[in-house]
Amino acid sequence: MTLSTPTALTVRDPWSLVPSLGNLDAYISAVNRLPLLTPEEESSAARRLRDSGDLEAAGRLVLSHLRLVVSISRQYLGYGLPQGDLIQEGNVGLMKAVKRYDPDQGVRLVSYAMHWIKAEIHEYVLRNWRMVKVATTKAQRKLFFNLRSMKHSMKEDQADDQTHRNSLSEAQLAHVARELNVKPEEVLEMETRMSGGDVALEPQSDEDGESFAPIAYLADDSQEPTRVLEAQARDELAGDGISRALEALDERSRRIVEERWLKVNDDSSGGMTLHELAAEYGVSAERIRQIEVAAMKKMRKALSPA
C-alpha cells in the first residue's frame, strides 16, 4: 500500500516532509516528524482557508494532523484490514474536516477532525470487512462497532472461564441490549452476521471438477424464459396436442397407437402387444408394427408447427 499526501495540498518546505512513495513505516516516521501548529497558527491558517481558499494553509492544517489519523487507524487493526488502507481513508476524513472547519466555533481542529476521520474509517471497514455488508443502517453501524468492542471486553474478563464460548449467553445478550439500548433480537442478529464468513459462490480454480459450490443450488432457472416456453410446449403436446394428432389417424391406426402407447391397465402392464393386435385384426405382427410406424409419422407431422 502506497501512501501519499493530497496533490492538491502541495506546500513549500519544511512541510513537504511526507514521502510521496515508500512503505508504511517510512510514512508513519515521516508524519511523526511534522511539527504541530500552535492554536494561533491553526486559527490563522483556518481563517485564510475559509476566507480566501488558501491551499497552502489547508496543507498546513492537514499535514499537522496526519499523525492523528495514524493514531486513530491503530484502533481498527483488529478487523484484519491493512493499516495503510485505514490511514488513507482516515486522511480523506481529515481533508473533509479541514474543509468544513470553522475556527470561530472555539473548538480545536483535532477535536473536530476525529469525527470525520472515524466516520470514513467506519465506512471503509463496513465496505471491506465482509464481501456482503453486515450493517447498512445508522443503528446497525453503531451496534456493529459497539458490540464488537463489548464482546472483546467480555472475552478478556472471562479469559479464565473454561466454559466461555465465542457466542454470547442469554445473560450477556440482555446486558449488551441494555447497555446499547436495543432489543436482544437485534444484538443476536448482528452477532450472527459478524460470526459468519464469506463463502465463494463458485468452485475455486484449484479445485477438481467434482467440487460442489453454492452457485449450483442457488440459481433458480424455473422462471427462465426458455424453460417456461419448453414447459408450455410440453404441456400442450401432452394434452390437446396428442388429441389433435390422434384425430388425424384412421380408426385402426388410432386404436393401435392408443393400445400400444397410451393405455395403462390396472396392473400397470400397459396395453396390448403386437401379437395380440395381430390376432384381433387377422394380420401378422409385422404388419401391425408397420401400421404403428406410419401412424407415428403422421402424428409427428400433425404436431409439427405449421
Side-chain angles (χ1 to χ4, degrees):
M1 181 64 198
T2 299
L3 293 170
S4 61
T5 54
T7 56
L9 298 180
T10 303
V11 296
R12 299 193 299 271
D13 289 335
W15 294 97
S16 300
L17 299 177
V18 181
S20 58
L21 295 173
N23 59 33
L24 182 60
D25 291 337
Y27 174 87
I28 294 176
S29 177
V31 299
N32 285 334
R33 292 196 303 269
L34 291 172
L36 297 176
L37 296 178
T38 65
E40 293 75 16
E41 290 174 334
E42 180 178 291
S43 297
S44 175
R47 289 189 175 90
R48 293 202 309 275
L49 173 62
R50 181 194 61 188
D51 300 336
S52 59
D54 189 337
L55 290 183
E56 182 179 351
R60 290 172 60 88
L61 294 171
V62 170
L63 293 174
S64 64
H65 288 81
L66 290 178
R67 69 181 67 192
L68 173 64
V69 177
V70 173
S71 176
I72 294 177
S73 70
R74 294 194 181 101
Q75 303 173 18
Y76 298 89
L77 295 179
Y79 293 98
L81 300 172
Q83 187 180 8
D85 292 348
L86 296 171
I87 292 175
Q88 285 282 48
E89 296 298 321
N91 287 344
V92 173
L94 173 60
M95 288 186 286
K96 290 181 177 180
V98 167
K99 182 179 180 180
R100 294 166 173 80
Y101 178 59
D102 184 359
D104 294 333
Q105 291 181 345
V107 179
R108 290 295 301 273
L109 178 57
V110 63
S111 300
Y112 182 77
M114 289 181 64
H115 164 77
W116 291 93
I117 295 170
K118 289 184 177 181
E120 289 297 324
I121 294 179
H122 284 185
E123 286 297 322
Y124 173 75
V125 170
L126 291 173
R127 287 196 311 269
N128 296 277
W129 190 59
R130 288 282 190 269
M131 186 175 297
V132 178
K133 273 192 172 183
V134 296
T136 55
T137 66
K138 183 177 180 180
Q140 287 177 343
R141 293 171 185 172
K142 180 179 179 181
L143 178 58
F144 172 81
F145 288 102
N146 288 331
L147 176 58
R148 194 174 188 278
S149 176
M150 294 185 70
K151 285 187 67 176
H152 182 71
S153 299
M154 290 178 181
K155 288 181 180 179
E156 291 182 345
D157 295 339
Q158 300 180 1
D160 298 329
D161 187 354
Q162 298 299 323
T163 63
H164 177 64
R165 300 172 299 173
N166 288 330
S167 59
L168 296 176
S169 65
E170 293 185 5
Q172 291 172 331
L173 282 174
H175 172 71
V176 172
R178 287 195 305 270
E179 290 293 323
L180 302 180
N181 194 27
V182 296
K183 297 178 180 178
E185 294 79 7
E186 295 175 316
V187 177
L188 182 60
E189 179 182 358
M190 182 56 66
E191 185 194 18
T192 303
R193 294 187 184 186
M194 293 171 62
S195 61
D198 295 327
V199 178
L201 290 178
E202 298 181 349
Q204 302 302 306
S205 57
D206 57 347
E207 295 181 359
D208 56 41
E210 298 181 355
S211 59
F212 190 73
I215 194 66
Y217 57 83
L218 287 180
D220 180 12
D221 57 1
S222 62
Q223 299 302 317
E224 196 270 327
T226 302
R227 293 294 183 90
V228 173
L229 292 176
E230 290 177 351
Q232 291 177 346
R234 185 169 57 251
D235 293 341
E236 174 70 15
L237 290 177
D240 296 340
I242 296 296
S243 299
R244 291 197 305 271
L246 289 172
E247 291 176 357
L249 304 178
D250 59 77
E251 183 178 349
R252 184 176 63 175
S253 297
R254 184 186 309 121
R255 184 165 184 273
I256 290 174
V257 170
E258 290 177 342
E259 287 291 342
R260 293 279 294 146
W261 297 100
L262 302 179
K263 188 174 182 179
V264 178
N265 294 330
D266 294 339
D267 58 359
S268 300
S269 60
M272 300 174 66
T273 65
L274 290 175
H275 293 282
E276 289 174 339
L277 289 169
E280 179 178 332
Y281 286 105
V283 296
S284 65
E286 175 62 19
R287 177 56 185 160
I288 294 296
R289 189 192 67 80
Q290 293 174 352
I291 295 174
E292 178 184 357
V293 171
M296 288 294 186
K297 289 182 179 179
K298 188 176 292 186
M299 290 181 66
R300 281 194 293 269
K301 184 177 180 180
L303 292 172
S304 298

